[in-house]
Amino acid sequence: MTSTITLAEALATGTVVLDGGLSNQLESAGHDLSDELWSARLLAERPEAITEAHLAYFRAGADVAITSSYQATFEGFAKRGIDHDRAAELMALSVELAREAARRARAARPLWVAASAGPYGAMLADGSEYRGRYGLSVDELERFHRPRLEVLAAARPDVLALETVPDADEATALLRAVRGLGVPAWLTYSVADGRTRAGQPLEEAFGLAADADEVIAVGVNCCAPEDVDAAVATAARVTGKPVVVYPNSGETWNAEARAWTGHSSFAPDQVKGWQQAGARLIGGCCRVGPEAISGIAGTLGAA
């Protein structure tokens, strides 16, 4: 079933399981994502594949599906000859596909949909989403993000996932852009060695969201599992909000080769420590599949 309580209400009483990496699930089903639009390309070409990927995670125990709109932008679609109106339709479709998967899951527990909004660098598709510092002002970044956030909010997801943010300046722009949309949000940074990818202290970065009424959770995603522990403690202390964490497998993305290298260091039993430190939404990002999410659900269910 879809949710009868809000996600914020659920976080007040327990821990919620997020899904895993959408792209790796789609690739495991045989879909080619070697494209600047990444999984967003399938919104136009194979929407059913996206529904099936979401469904796999719901069946594995996820309570939240994060939509395929991470790399869906008006500018990115325009490069592929997709006009503004059709781009808006595809962004809204990403929410409906996740809703359809929730209906098909026929779960007895509440299920929610998080509409993904990736950073400006995701649209560039050149790896700058892991660096930030694009040379744009906060006002310019706000003007980039606001139109698609308006479209995603109008599709009525349960929450907006402002995710993989590499830079506190971009977080400032996103926090401005979600004001007045009528949909709650979470804000997650991509981090390394106790700082944002752009090098800012996490205390400063998380502090931006402390007084943002729209933000129901703050945390990290698309980072190494080893970077989560300190980030959870800092986010909880600085903001007083529930913490959201969904790291990568531990492998490293090579933007030039468009391939993953290294070995996985993600283990479902790590989530106990994250939960004890304040994490209330826990899942996985790139290269974390349904099996790992099932392990997280089992671990949290037994906690």
Side-chain angles (χ1 to χ4, degrees):
M1 67 178 180
T2 54
S3 176
T4 56
I5 64 171
T6 69
L7 184 57
E9 289 169 340
L11 296 180
T13 59
T15 305
V16 173
V17 180
L18 304 181
D19 61 6
L22 184 63
S23 62
N24 49 262
Q25 182 61 18
L26 290 167
E27 287 174 333
S28 70
H31 300 287
D32 180 10
L33 303 183
S34 58
D35 180 286
E36 289 189 355
L37 286 177
W38 205 27
S39 56
R41 178 175 60 82
L42 298 184
L43 285 169
E45 297 179 7
R46 294 292 301 277
E48 177 63 21
I50 294 173
T51 301
E52 290 294 334
H54 289 316
L55 184 57
Y57 282 116
F58 280 138
R59 287 175 171 165
D63 304 309
V64 180
I66 302 174
T67 67
S68 54
S69 51
Y70 173 81
Q71 215 140 335
T73 64
F74 289 110
E75 294 82 354
F77 280 130
K79 292 179 183 178
R80 297 292 298 273
I82 297 173
D83 67 23
H84 185 280
D85 289 348
R86 178 56 176 158
E89 289 175 359
L90 293 175
M91 292 179 202
L93 177 63
S94 72
V95 176
E96 178 53 34
L97 295 176
R99 288 270 185 233
E100 174 60 20
R103 287 190 286 267
R104 292 189 195 178
R106 300 180 183 276
R109 66 189 188 279
L111 301 177
W112 295 274
V113 171
S116 171
Y120 178 82
M123 181 272 293
L124 300 178
D126 62 358
S128 60
E129 64 200 280
Y130 297 113
R131 300 188 298 270
R133 310 277 82 178
Y134 314 116
L136 300 179
S137 69
V138 171
D139 288 345
E140 287 171 322
L141 288 168
E142 182 183 358
R143 285 194 293 272
F144 167 79
H145 285 295
R146 177 72 184 198
R148 67 177 179 142
L149 287 170
E150 289 176 342
V151 170
L152 291 171
R156 309 311 300 171
D158 298 291
V159 63
L160 294 165
L162 313 177
E163 57 177 357
T164 325
V165 180
D167 191 323
D169 287 348
E170 186 162 25
T172 298
L174 283 161
L175 292 172
R176 289 183 188 175
V178 297
R179 288 175 186 163
L181 293 180
V183 177
W186 77 55
L187 173 68
T188 52
Y189 290 94
S190 178
V191 302
D193 302 320
R195 290 178 173 266
T196 68
R197 292 283 188 161
Q200 296 112 337
L202 292 186
E203 289 86 352
E204 170 191 326
F206 290 135
L208 296 173
D211 297 322
D213 293 338
E214 296 86 357
V215 177
I216 61 171
V218 178
V220 295
N221 79 294
C222 208
C223 60
E226 295 77 15
D227 284 315
V228 170
D229 294 270
V232 172
T234 301
R237 172 173 54 82
V238 170
T239 70
K241 296 177 184 286
V243 179
V244 49
V245 296
Y246 47 118
N248 294 337
S249 67
E251 297 161 88
T252 301
W253 174 249
N254 184 321
E256 292 183 2
R258 298 189 66 80
W260 291 92
T261 61
H263 302 283
S264 173
S265 59
F266 186 97
D269 59 5
Q270 293 169 309
V271 305
K272 291 181 180 178
W274 301 342
Q275 183 185 42
Q276 290 168 358
R280 293 295 175 266
L281 295 101
I282 302 176
C285 200
C286 300
R287 309 284 283 180
V288 178
E291 183 176 354
I293 297 305
S294 179
I296 290 173
T299 297
L300 293 177

